[in-house]
Each structure stands twice: as structure tokens, then as C-alpha cells.
Amino acid sequence: MNIQKVIKKLMKANKFSIIRQNKHIVWEHENGKWKITTSASPSSQNVIRCIKKDIKNVCGVVYA
């Protein structure tokens, strides 16, 4: 599966939606308090682990 699709699925499972998309993708949580920025074209499989870590730091829990 494409890394971009995996990232979108992970973010949707954690209730984040896209605000804007340019060189980076900015995601906002449904409560409006938290934002996470990801690369528009990630280069390695390590980014999934890093994004999960960012979600855990912001929300306290990761779903998926």
C-alpha cells in the first residue's frame, strides 16, 4: 500500500482532517486544538512511526 494512503488512514482513524496541502500536509484534530504537520512526499517507512509518536504527544493515545 502507498505510504500516503497509510498516513491518511492513520490520521482519519485518529480524527484528524486536512486543513491544507502544499509541500507539507497540515492536519487538524476535530476538536480544533491540535495540529500536526506531515511531509507531502515521505521518503521512508520510518515516517509512520514518527507520525504515531507525534499523535501520541498531542492526543495522549494512538488509534490504529
Side-chain angles (χ1 to χ4, degrees), residues 34-46:
W34 305 318
K35 293 182 183 175
I36 294 179
T37 304
T38 61
S39 176
S41 57
S43 60
S44 70
Q45 296 293 333
N46 192 32

Side-chain angles (χ1 to χ4, degrees), residues 3 6 8-9 12-14 23-24 26-27 29 35 38 41-42 48-49 51 55 59 61 63:
I3 293 179
V6 173
K8 283 187 179 185
K9 186 176 178 182
K12 296 292 180 182
N14 287 288
K23 291 183 179 180
H24 290 86
V26 179
W27 302 86
H29 195 263
K35 293 182 183 175
T38 61
S41 57
I48 301 299
R49 186 180 59 82
I51 292 171
I55 293 171
C59 299
V61 78
Y63 299 105

Side-chain angles (χ1 to χ4, degrees), residues 3-30:
I3 293 179
Q4 286 295 80
K5 288 182 182 179
V6 173
I7 292 172
K8 283 187 179 185
K9 186 176 178 182
L10 175 67
M11 297 306 270
K12 296 292 180 182
N14 287 288
K15 300 180 182 177
F16 281 88
S17 60
I18 296 176
I19 297 175
R20 62 184 167 84
Q21 184 173 4
N22 200 358
K23 291 183 179 180
H24 290 86
I25 302 172
V26 179
W27 302 86
E28 183 177 36
H29 195 263
E30 68 178 7

